[in-house]
Each structure stands twice: as C-alpha cells, then as structure tokens.
Amino acid sequence: VSNRTEDPDGIDNNDIFIISVMSDNPKENLRQVTTNEGSDGQPSWSKDNASLTYTTITRPDKMWYATTHLATISTSGGEATVLTEALDRNISNPEFSEDGREVYFELQDFGKRQIAKLNLETMALTIITEGDVVARGFDRLEGDSFITSISIP
C-alpha cells in the first residue's frame, strides 16, 4: 500500500501494489492493482492467491465523513468490485474465508464494532458478535469461531 501521487503529503490516495521480492530489481516488477481516487488499504490475499479483499474509500470528496467499504479485485488487475456500497458503515480488517466464499471483517455500527461476514455469492451480511460490544482485531479459528478482544460498556 503506497501513496504515489505527485503530492503524497497533500493528497490522501493510497493504492495497492504487488511486487516480486524474488527479483534482483523489485522496482521493475512493481505492479499497481487498484486505481481508485480514494484510499485503498488493508489488503488480504485469497487462499488461491487469485484475489485480494481490501478496504476502499469511494467518496474521497467526503473527507473525514467518507465511508470505508469492502472490495475485491483480481490479483492480475482489472475492475474492482465494491461489495458494501449500500452499507452506510465503516469496515476494516477484511479476510477471506478458507473456501473463499465469504469475507470476514470488523464493522462499525453506532459506537459498536462487530465481527461480520459477507457471503460473496448471496451478498448476505451476517453479524457474528451480537449485542453492545466493541470487538478489536480477530483471528479466525474454524468456522465462525474467533479469538478477539471485546469491550463491553
């Protein structure tokens, strides 16, 4: 993730790049994957290495009020798919499921931070942590089992 604009101190636009570390000159193999005008970040590889899931801001003109969405893109490039455009909530820390059919992430909702998942076939959103909690960070175990740090007001 890098801001390679002409004015990186004045323009908040990070993009995702892939680079081969096996090359003698890695800069020659630097390949930009995302081209969104807003910032893209927190990339996570699919298990088959064919796709990335990541966070994206599609409305940089909103500045501090811009919603951070969930997106996917092929690692070979192409058009990104924004998965949560209709969801007016910020997401963070996306991660593909083992079978690649779902993406797990943290979802901000009215002062709460839940762990959620989105089914990529049906686009069904499921909140995994219920109630008035703030979940920060997670490691997936099996299925919908997690280790996370939770605060309960």
Side-chain angles (χ1 to χ4, degrees):
V1 176
S2 181
N3 183 340
R4 294 182 173 260
T5 61
E6 292 178 14
D7 183 14
D9 292 330
I11 299 172
D12 186 22
N13 181 10
N14 292 316
D15 285 302
I16 298 172
F17 295 81
I18 296 176
I19 188 167
S20 172
V21 295
M22 303 302 286
S23 172
D24 290 335
N25 188 353
K27 287 185 178 182
E28 287 180 4
N29 294 316
L30 182 67
R31 186 168 43 89
Q32 186 171 349
V33 179
T34 61
T35 57
N36 177 37
E37 288 182 22
S39 280
D40 303 315
Q42 300 181 330
S44 179
W45 292 86
S46 62
K47 300 303 175 194
D48 64 2
N49 294 327
S51 301
L52 291 173
T53 184
Y54 62 97
T55 60
T56 186
I57 294 175
T58 59
R59 293 285 313 269
D61 58 309
K62 298 275 187 180
M63 296 182 65
W64 303 113
Y65 301 102
T67 303
T68 304
H69 293 287
L70 177 68
T72 59
I73 194 166
S74 168
T75 54
S76 60
E79 194 69 29
T81 302
V82 179
L83 303 169
T84 57
E85 194 76 49
L87 182 64
D88 186 24
R89 298 289 176 262
N90 288 319
I91 68 101
S92 59
N93 301 318
E95 179 181 314
F96 279 104
S97 62
E98 288 291 325
D99 62 11
R101 294 183 185 157
E102 298 171 316
V103 176
Y104 292 86
F105 53 92
E106 294 175 29
L107 173 70
Q108 292 179 1
D109 187 20
F110 294 106
K112 297 180 282 188
R113 183 179 282 266
Q114 307 282 3
I115 296 174
K117 68 178 177 180
L118 184 71
N119 183 299
L120 298 176
E121 295 170 8
T122 66
M123 300 306 287
L125 176 68
T126 304
I127 306 296
I128 296 171
T129 52
E130 295 286 333
D132 194 17
V133 301
V134 176
R136 287 272 184 197
F138 64 88
D139 282 318
R140 251 180 347 96
L141 302 175
E142 290 184 27
D144 286 343
S145 295
F146 294 86
I147 295 174
T148 187
S149 173
I150 292 182
S151 296
I152 302 172

